[in-house]
Amino acid sequence: MEFHPIFWAYSLIQWFLDKLLSPTPPPPKATLGRPRIAVMGAGLTGVSSASHCVGHGFDVTIFEAGDEKSIGGIWSITQLWKRYGLQERTKFNTRVTSAKQDSRGRWIINNDPSLGHFDGVLAAVGTCGDPKMPHMPDQESFNGEIFHSSKLDGKTAAGKKVLIIGGGASAVEALEFVVHTDAVSTSILARSDKWIIPRNAFVDGLLALNIFGQETTFSWIPERLLKRFFYRDLEDLAPDSEGLFTETPMVNSDIFHQIRDHKAEWLRGDIVGFTENGIRFRRRAKGVPKGGPGQEIEVKGDMVIMATGYQRPNRL
């Protein structure tokens, strides 16, 4: 990998903070004396929370619905799971369906006392439940393939015209999949414009200096700079009515390259329904609200990716 001083400095700071602030892992097979905590989920939040609890002496048990492949989702979280000895504290293939308190106020998981009695419960089930797959008019008439954005493993878009329904983070991730599998063309059909910021440590670090995490009197400054130096000729795609800090912006440096290279297009409007060869789409001008007037067109394609999000997970 090419040496980059900004990324090197960022990694060094991360390493220093890890050494300074991370609690010390307990010895193997250690008996922890602080209250017992049940953690639901062995994803990023579950593993990091359990590690923190164990490091401070809490007796933790993680309940994970999947197998060991479900751990964390990224390499660093898997390493964290091992570093804090959570292998012996994780119950795999155990989906939590209930968490109730007994007469002494202790928590019982799945009405099964053999799983333990706990002083506290930590729900780390994430923000994404089952894929949201809305049915659209005349969907059955479409001659091509339809997939949810979460079901793209093992699929390919090689030689196909791909239509992506949705304009959020899932749509951008789907675009990356499409590009890397050599699609002929890609059209993103979005109901609204979203803020997109470059994947750049310096720029993202500056934006993170807004410690309030919301719009301020000075939010127009980074918005103006992004339009001038990042959006440039694609400023029409930048939101006008929504501020940069009103929602979570998407971090992606590739999407505008794809649009400028005519490998992808971003269309603003509303889905009318499917046709045999694509989607009927009411394209709206900038500033026209969702569901407002526009020009109806047919966007042709032979693969549709539904980047329509997820149901809210059940948190008991």
Side-chain angles (χ1 to χ4, degrees), residues 173-240:
E173 292 174 3
L175 175 63
E176 292 182 349
F177 155 81
V178 169
V179 168
H180 289 99
T181 54
D182 299 320
V184 172
S185 64
T186 308
S187 300
I188 298 177
L189 311 180
R191 290 195 301 167
S192 59
D193 300 320
K194 304 288 185 181
W195 279 106
I196 302 173
I197 60 179
R199 187 175 280 117
N200 180 289
F202 180 72
V203 174
D204 298 344
L206 289 178
L207 294 176
L209 293 177
N210 180 1
I211 60 174
F212 301 103
Q214 58 186 11
E215 288 291 290
T216 69
T217 306
F218 304 103
S219 293
W220 65 270
I221 298 176
E223 291 170 6
R224 183 75 60 82
L225 292 174
L226 282 172
K227 289 180 179 179
R228 176 68 178 84
F229 295 104
F230 185 52
Y231 280 82
R232 303 197 308 273
D233 54 313
L234 299 175
E235 187 176 329
D236 180 67
L237 301 181
D240 277 342

Side-chain angles (χ1 to χ4, degrees), residues 22 33 55 58-59 63 90 109 125 127 147 178 194 196 230 254:
S22 294
F58 290 90
D59 187 3
F63 295 93
T90 305
I109 303 299
V125 294
T127 59
F147 303 107
V178 169
K194 304 288 185 181
I196 302 173
F230 185 52
D254 192 47

Side-chain angles (χ1 to χ4, degrees), residues 23-24 26 30-39 49-61 84 86 89 118-120 122:
T24 303
T31 300
L32 303 179
R34 299 191 72 178
R36 299 193 69 192
I37 306 293
V39 177
S49 299
S51 300
H52 192 77
C53 289
V54 166
H56 287 284
F58 290 90
D59 187 3
V60 169
T61 299
Y84 283 88
L86 298 177
R89 300 178 180 276
F118 299 93
D119 302 288
L122 219 170

Side-chain angles (χ1 to χ4, degrees), residues 80-208:
L80 190 67
W81 180 70
K82 294 177 180 178
R83 176 182 172 188
Y84 283 88
L86 298 177
Q87 304 96 314
E88 60 194 52
R89 300 178 180 276
T90 305
K91 294 184 181 296
F92 293 108
N93 302 308
T94 306
R95 180 180 296 277
V96 176
T97 57
S98 67
K100 299 178 180 178
Q101 289 178 290
D102 62 14
S103 59
R104 297 175 57 185
R106 299 174 304 176
W107 292 92
I108 298 175
I109 303 299
N110 293 348
N111 293 318
D112 185 354
S114 68
L115 295 176
H117 295 79
F118 299 93
D119 302 288
V121 174
L122 219 170
V125 294
T127 59
C128 298
D130 295 330
K132 187 185 294 182
M133 194 78 165
H135 185 274
M136 298 183 179
D138 302 317
Q139 186 169 321
E140 296 81 3
S141 67
F142 181 58
N143 291 328
E145 302 172 297
I146 302 176
F147 303 107
H148 189 268
S149 58
S150 63
K151 306 294 183 182
L152 296 177
D153 288 348
K155 306 294 189 303
T156 181
K160 297 180 179 180
K161 297 179 180 179
V162 180
L163 310 179
I164 300 176
I165 297 178
S170 297
V172 173
E173 292 174 3
L175 175 63
E176 292 182 349
F177 155 81
V178 169
V179 168
H180 289 99
T181 54
D182 299 320
V184 172
S185 64
T186 308
S187 300
I188 298 177
L189 311 180
R191 290 195 301 167
S192 59
D193 300 320
K194 304 288 185 181
W195 279 106
I196 302 173
I197 60 179
R199 187 175 280 117
N200 180 289
F202 180 72
V203 174
D204 298 344
L206 289 178
L207 294 176

